[in-house]
C-alpha cells in the first residue's frame, strides 16, 4: 500500500523545523468510556474549538517505517489557556495489504479516532469536514497531562491493531500553513473515496469521473482501476 506515500512526503515538507519529538514511553492515561461526556464546566479549553483552524487525518503506508514517536509543533497542553488551532496527523506503517481489502482496512483504522479517547478528554470528530476537536478536561490539566501522554496513548491503541507495524503521531497547535495541510488532508480523503469507487468496480470513464484530479495526481490509481476492470 503506497498510494498515500506522496501525501506523506508533502506533509513532511510542510512541517516547521522547530518541533519537539518524544520517543514512545508507556502512557499514564487510561482509555475512557467512548460514550462519556466532558461537560463545558469541566473543560479547560477545546483544541480546534471556537471555529479555530482544525484538521485531522490518518495515513497508511507499507513502505514508510515510523519511529513510534510523538511530535509537537506549538504549545503543549499545560501552556494553552483557551481554544486554539489544532491539527492531528496519525501516520501508520501497515503490513502490505491486498488492494481488494484495502478500503475496508483503512476505514477500520480511521474508525479508531471515533472510538478511542483517553480519560479526561472528549473528541468531537467529523469525517465530512475533516475536523477533530478535542475537549481537554480541567482535571487533566491539573494532573499535568501532556501531548506526549496523549500521543503515547494513541500509539498504544493503534499498535493493538494486527496490521500496524509502527506509528508516528504529530500534533500542531501553532502553524502558519493550516490551509495547505487541509488541502492535502482533503486529497487523502478523496484518494480513499477513489479507492472505494475502483473496488466497487464502478464505471471506468475518467473523462466524466469526479475523482479525475485525484487519480491524475496519485500514482497507481488509474492502473488499479484498469486492472480491476
Ligand atoms: S481511474 Fe478514472 S474512472 Fe477510475 S476512479 Fe480514477 S478518475 Fe475515476
Amino acid at each position: 500500500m503506497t498510494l498515500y506515500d506522496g501525501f506523506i512526503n508533502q506533509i513532511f515538507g510542510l512541517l516547521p523545523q522547530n518541533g519537539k519529538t518524544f520517543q514512545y514511553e508507556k502512557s499514564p492515561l487510561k482509555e475512557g468510556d467512548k460514550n462519556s461526556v466532558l461537560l463545558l464546566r469541566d473543560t479547560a479549553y477545546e483544541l480546534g474549538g471556537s471555529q479555530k483552524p482544525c484538521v485531522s487525518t490518518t495515513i497508511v503506508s507499507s513502505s514508510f517505517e515510523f519511529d513510534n514517536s510523538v511530535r509537537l509543533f506549538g504549545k503543549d497542553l499545560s501552556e494553552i489557556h483557551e481554544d486554539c488551532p489544532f491539527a492531528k496527523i496519525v501516520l501508520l506503517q501497515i503490513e502490505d495489504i491486498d488492494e481488494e481489502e484495502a478500503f475496508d482496512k483503512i476505514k477500520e483504522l480511521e474508525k479508531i479516532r471515533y472510538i478511542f479517547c483517553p480519560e479526561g478528554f472528549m473528541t468531537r470528530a467529523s469525517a465530512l469536514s475533516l475536523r477533530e476537536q478535542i475537549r481537554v478536561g480541567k482535571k487533566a490539566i491539573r494532573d499535568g497531562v501532556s501531548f506526549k501522554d496523549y500521543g503515547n496513548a494513541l500509539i498504544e491503541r493503534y499498535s493493538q491493531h494486527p496490521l500496524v507495524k509502527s506509528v508516528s503521531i504529530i500534533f500542531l497547535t501553532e502553524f502558519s500553513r493550516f490551509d495547505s495541510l487541509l488541502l492535502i488532508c482533503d486529497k487523502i480523503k478523496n484518494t480513499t473515496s477513489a479507492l472505494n469507487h475502483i473496488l466497487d468496480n464502478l464505471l471506468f470513464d475518467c473523462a466524466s469521473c469526479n475523482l479525475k484530479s485525484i487519480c491524475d495526481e496519485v500514482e497507481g490509481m488509474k492502473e488499479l482501476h484498469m486492472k480491476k476492470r
Side-chain angles (χ1 to χ4, degrees):
M1 171 52 56
T2 56
L3 289 176
Y4 300 88
D5 287 7
F7 298 128
I8 296 176
N9 284 322
Q10 287 178 26
I11 287 176
F12 284 158
L14 272 189
L15 295 177
Q17 300 294 323
N18 56 349
K20 292 182 194 144
T21 301
F22 308 98
Q23 287 308 317
Y24 170 73
E25 283 172 20
K26 189 165 170 33
S27 175
L29 298 179
K30 294 196 186 90
E31 182 164 353
D33 179 343
K34 74 176 161 67
N35 295 319
S36 71
V37 173
L38 187 59
L39 298 173
L40 271 178
R41 66 166 182 261
D42 299 320
T43 300
Y45 52 80
E46 187 164 29
L47 300 166
S50 303
Q51 291 307 309
K52 302 279 183 189
C54 182
V55 66
S56 161
T57 190
T58 305
I59 320 173
V60 301
S61 168
S62 49
S63 56
F64 276 84
E65 189 178 340
F66 302 112
D67 58 356
N68 292 321
S69 68
V70 180
R71 295 174 74 191
L72 171 64
F73 298 87
K75 290 181 177 165
D76 209 330
L77 295 176
S78 63
E79 300 164 318
I80 298 170
H81 303 291
E82 58 187 10
D83 295 358
C84 66
F86 180 58
K88 187 184 112 188
I89 301 164
V90 176
L91 301 168
L92 302 173
Q93 180 196 14
I94 58 167
E95 302 282 354
D96 203 7
I97 46 176
D98 191 75
E99 285 135 0
E100 295 291 330
E101 55 174 354
F103 180 77
D104 287 345
K105 293 297 176 194
I106 289 168
K107 284 288 159 197
E108 210 175 285
L109 288 162
E110 280 180 354
K111 213 167 70 184
I112 291 177
R113 77 184 180 128
Y114 301 105
I115 56 178
F116 175 74
C117 188
E119 258 178 17
F121 295 82
M122 186 177 93
T123 304
R124 301 195 298 153
S126 154
L128 279 184
S129 69
L130 300 171
R131 292 180 76 85
E132 180 176 337
Q133 299 177 202
I134 300 177
R135 282 189 184 173
V136 182
K138 290 177 181 168
K139 183 172 182 310
I141 297 298
R142 276 198 305 274
D143 292 347
V145 174
S146 64
F147 271 117
K148 179 179 114 181
D149 302 326
Y150 190 95
N152 282 331
L154 287 177
I155 291 174
E156 285 163 12
R157 181 61 182 81
Y158 281 102
S159 300
Q160 286 170 14
H161 193 286
L163 275 186
V164 174
K165 294 167 80 176
S166 66
V167 184
S168 176
I169 308 284
I170 300 171
F171 297 115
L172 297 107
T173 56
E174 285 170 345
F175 190 39
S176 59
R177 303 183 69 187
F178 266 101
D179 287 352
S180 307
L181 181 60
L182 187 59
L183 221 59
I184 299 171
C185 294
D186 199 44
K187 287 183 191 173
I188 291 166
K189 185 183 83 167
N190 289 339
T191 302
T192 307
S193 300
L195 194 58
N196 189 32
H197 178 101
I198 290 167
L199 296 176
D200 274 353
N201 208 8
L202 298 179
L203 191 64
F204 184 50
D205 177 8
C206 298
S208 66
C209 181
N210 61 0
L211 297 162
K212 186 174 181 312
S213 62
I214 203 75
C215 289
D216 284 345
E217 178 169 349
V218 179
E219 204 176 314
M221 285 311 251
K222 284 188 182 156
E223 292 76 1
L224 184 59
H225 204 164
M226 190 95 78
K227 194 167 108 191
K228 185 72 188 156
R229 229 169 125 226

